[in-house]
Amino acid sequence: MNDERMSCGSGKNEMCDTQTDLETLQTKLGLLQKEIDDLQKEGYHQDELQDHITKLHEYNEIKDVGQMVLGRIADIEGVRTKDMYGRYGLSLDD
């Protein structure tokens, strides 16, 4: 394997790309595992985190539908969607 790494310096090839990808993924895996360990130390459990992720996805889907409705109303009334936020007391960050 060391011979492969040495040849990577002299030119790009598929083996070099694969080795680089593997190293990058291993680094990311290590960082993610550390994050998981830190969260577990703080008292979070994997099932709770998955439930939270599921709820965030549901929230985002509902928010997207709300934005589509506001956009459609704005089109019908001939105003900007941005104007609809003010009318309904919404922040642009909502």
Side-chain angles (χ1 to χ4, degrees):
M1 187 184 295
N2 287 338
D3 294 336
E4 292 169 2
R5 286 187 183 184
M6 286 182 172
S7 66
C8 287
S10 61
K12 282 281 187 186
N13 63 38
E14 192 172 318
M15 183 61 103
C16 293
D17 291 342
T18 302
Q19 183 65 33
T20 301
D21 290 346
L22 177 61
E23 290 170 0
T24 300
L25 289 173
Q26 288 173 331
T27 300
K28 287 180 181 180
L29 178 61
L31 292 171
L32 289 172
Q33 188 58 54
K34 183 181 179 334
E35 284 184 53
I36 290 169
D37 293 343
D38 290 345
L39 289 169
Q40 287 175 339
K41 286 177 187 173
E42 292 177 20
Y44 293 100
H45 299 284
Q46 187 172 355
D47 56 335
E48 292 172 334
L49 293 173
Q50 187 58 48
D51 185 48
H52 185 70
I53 290 169
T54 300
K55 288 179 181 180
L56 282 173
H57 284 293
E58 185 177 332
Y59 165 81
N60 284 329
E61 289 173 6
I62 293 168
K63 181 180 173 184
D64 290 345
V65 170
Q67 288 176 332
M68 286 189 301
V69 169
L70 281 177
R72 183 68 180 130
I73 293 170
D75 284 344
I76 291 169
E77 295 185 5
V79 297
R80 298 178 305 167
T81 303
K82 181 178 179 179
D83 298 331
M84 301 303 291
Y85 279 78
R87 180 186 300 175
Y88 292 103
L90 301 171
S91 166
L92 289 175
D93 296 328
D94 287 340

